[in-house]
Amino acid sequence: MNRKILITVILTVFIVALLSGCVDRSESETQITSSSDTQTPAAEEPEGTIRISGAFALYPMMLKWGEEYQKLHPKVKFDISAGGAGKGMADTLGGLVDIGMVSREITPEEEEKGAYWIAITKDAVVPTVNSNNPAVTQLKENGLKRDVFEQIYINGTIKTWGQATGDTGNNDKINVYTRSDAAGAPATWAKYLGNYKQEDLKGVGVNGDPGLAEAVRQDKLGIGYNNINFAYDPNTRKPVEGIEIIPLDLNGNGKIDTDEDFYGTLDELVEAIGNDQFPSPPARDLNLVTKGKPTGIVDDFIKWTLTDGQKFISESGYIVLPQDQINEGIEKVD
């Protein structure tokens, strides 16, 4: 009897130990499996070079965006050059760059060739004059009407500063300058003057925004036009030394009223554009263009400019687009 009890006890201890071992092994296996399931693959760090060319209007903004994006993604490099909206579009459609900067509307013909565009920010084109022009005080007080600019740049019927300002004693000839390269600024300026095209503008052709600003700065009887970030000094926020902005006499009453007077600093003008006090055109949207829908690091960078990158727009002298327009852009690249 005692022997049976002893055997029963031994068997019971053996079975309990065996079961205990099975449970422990099962729990251990469960823990490993669980740990493996919860691991998250590391995000792939963006890497490569993004090539960009095009509008002088967007060039300063793109330099800032490239610098800030590279701080977040050091393995992404940028090759950014300016040369006009026409070059940006041609380079993009020709596969020479990944992104084109285009400071005008995209045509249906360009879309048929594969141009995929996203509006990204906004700026404006402003008329300029040499700060030593004999009529500069009169111009700043009274501005010029749209049709006067049209007669200077399109019809050629106004040839002297006296004819432009109404001062019969001023016979100084107006030296007219325009852009020689295909660009958004002359296209926008021509559209403001009466829905004309760049090729309709008269004047001596000068290449690039910096070149046009310098031509007027060197000629006291010269008149030109520039994107606002080349008409204003980014440090002083005032017009570039040697040139002044000609105010637009929007209501045509022959003087610049308080609600038309916003050219003193870049910040005043940017606020007026944002509030639609300054007309469109010559204010206009600025676009990024890719050949087909963007992918990879190009797509990631454009999405960033539409989201986190927007916080750098105002400090750079540009205008933030309405949120619904930004949302449309995000949907296009999603």
Side-chain angles (χ1 to χ4, degrees):
M1 185 70 176
N2 290 338
R3 185 176 180 182
K4 288 182 178 179
I5 293 173
L6 178 59
I7 292 173
T8 301
V9 170
I10 292 173
L11 286 174
T12 300
V13 170
F14 177 77
I15 292 170
V16 169
L18 182 62
L19 290 175
S20 176
C22 291
V23 171
D24 288 345
R25 187 163 55 250
S26 176
E27 285 179 351
S28 176
E29 289 171 354
T30 301
Q31 288 171 355
I32 292 172
T33 301
S34 175
S35 174
S36 176
D37 286 345
T38 57
Q39 285 184 339
T40 302
E44 188 174 348
E45 176 65 21
E47 182 176 359
T49 299
I50 299 176
R51 303 164 300 165
I52 304 171
S53 75
F56 282 94
L58 256 174
Y59 182 66
M61 186 73 255
M62 190 57 70
L63 290 179
K64 178 65 175 176
W65 272 334
E67 176 186 337
E68 295 297 331
Y69 186 81
Q70 201 168 31
K71 290 178 182 176
L72 300 172
H73 305 293
K75 292 183 179 181
V76 175
K77 310 299 180 186
F78 286 88
D79 180 0
I80 306 171
S81 63
K87 176 174 171 54
M89 180 61 77
D91 286 353
T92 302
L93 295 180
L96 299 178
V97 299
D98 303 298
I99 299 174
M101 302 179 286
V102 180
S103 53
R104 57 167 173 73
E105 295 179 358
I106 313 303
T107 68
E109 292 77 15
E110 290 166 340
E111 289 188 290
E112 288 177 3
K113 294 177 182 177
Y116 196 88
W117 59 273
I118 300 99
I120 205 83
T121 183
K122 186 174 184 177
D123 82 337
V125 175
V126 290
T128 58
V129 65
N130 187 287
S131 58
N132 292 320
N133 187 301
V136 69
T137 300
Q138 196 173 0
L139 288 168
K140 292 180 69 174
E141 291 178 353
N142 301 334
L144 289 180
K145 302 174 187 176
R146 187 202 59 77
D147 68 314
V148 172
F149 288 117
E150 182 182 10
Q151 292 178 70
I152 294 172
Y153 265 101
I154 303 296
N155 305 324
T157 52
I158 289 182
K159 299 181 182 298
T160 71
W161 283 106
Q163 291 173 319
T165 61
D167 180 359
T168 56
N170 186 345
N171 294 315
D172 290 328
K173 180 177 177 291
I174 300 175
N175 295 329
V176 182
Y177 294 97
T178 187
R179 289 277 291 274
S180 60
D181 52 319
T188 302
W189 184 239
K191 191 171 183 179
Y192 167 67
L193 298 183
N195 210 24
Y196 297 103
K197 297 182 178 179
Q198 176 178 350
E199 49 267 35
D200 297 321
L201 296 174
K202 297 183 183 302
V204 176
V206 181
N207 185 59
D209 243 307
L212 188 47
E214 184 63 15
V216 174
R217 203 172 72 86
Q218 296 293 332
D219 184 349
K220 72 175 186 178
L221 298 182
I223 186 173
Y225 54 84
N226 278 106
N227 297 307
I228 59 174
N229 282 290
F230 287 86
Y232 286 85
D233 186 314
N235 297 314
T236 65
R237 317 298 279 181
K238 295 181 178 179
V240 170
E241 184 178 357
I243 69 173
E244 295 286 349
I245 315 301
I246 304 175
L248 304 183
D249 181 10
L250 297 173
N251 60 17
N253 67 352
K255 64 178 182 178
I256 296 302
D257 296 316
T258 302
D259 60 352
E260 297 171 317
D261 186 11
F262 37 68
Y263 300 91
T265 68
L266 175 60
D267 300 305
E268 287 179 67
L269 180 55
V270 165
E271 182 177 357
I273 297 168
N275 294 335
D276 294 329
Q277 288 177 267
F278 189 87
S280 297
R284 44 53 194 293
D285 293 349
L286 303 177
N287 305 293
L288 299 184
V289 179
T290 56
K291 188 174 183 180
K293 191 174 181 179
T295 59
I297 58 173
V298 174
D299 180 59
D300 187 77
F301 171 66
I302 293 176
K303 284 179 183 174
W304 178 84
T305 65
L306 288 164
T307 51
D308 291 347
Q310 290 285 302
K311 64 185 175 186
F312 302 107
I313 286 181
S314 296
E315 69 181 65
S316 301
Y318 292 79
I319 295 91
V320 176
L321 293 172
Q323 189 57 50
D324 58 346
Q325 199 171 353
I326 292 294
N327 291 340
E328 288 177 12
I330 293 173
E331 289 179 8
K332 287 187 74 171
V333 294
D334 259 349

